[in-house]
Amino acid sequence: MSAFASDPGLENVRDAAGHGTEVDVAVHLHDGTVRLSILWTQEILLNANDADQVAQALQRAAEEARRITAARRPARPTGT
């Protein structure tokens, strides 16, 4: 089982050139890192709508990563 959770909103995003390339945005559930993967090649050509979907997925991943890392931070001392 992977510690990464992929964004389900990108399931239908494919390379605009028709090469079958896929993109994946995922958050590591333990350390809050964000993974951007371009599957089957080194680049992907996206139409404008798919590019918007990828951008939104990255924003969602960043927010989730912030929640994960905030939960892991030790409590700060309240006094001196």
Side-chain angles (χ1 to χ4, degrees):
M1 185 170 110
S2 175
F4 283 94
S6 293
D7 190 302
L10 297 178
E11 290 176 0
N12 296 319
V13 174
R14 297 288 184 273
D15 182 29
H19 298 122
T21 304
E22 301 173 31
V23 65
D24 179 56
V25 173
V27 177
H28 193 284
L29 298 175
H30 300 292
D31 67 14
T33 55
V34 176
R35 178 184 72 192
L36 171 61
S37 300
I38 301 172
L39 310 172
W40 323 123
T41 189
Q42 293 182 0
E43 67 178 26
I44 187 169
L45 303 173
L46 300 172
N47 65 41
N49 291 336
D50 286 348
D52 280 341
Q53 283 186 279
V54 172
Q56 291 168 8
L58 282 167
Q59 289 175 329
R60 288 190 295 270
E63 286 302 315
E64 181 65 20
R66 286 185 188 96
R67 282 191 289 275
I68 291 168
T69 56
R72 293 180 59 224
R73 286 190 195 121
R76 294 182 136 185
T78 57
T80 53

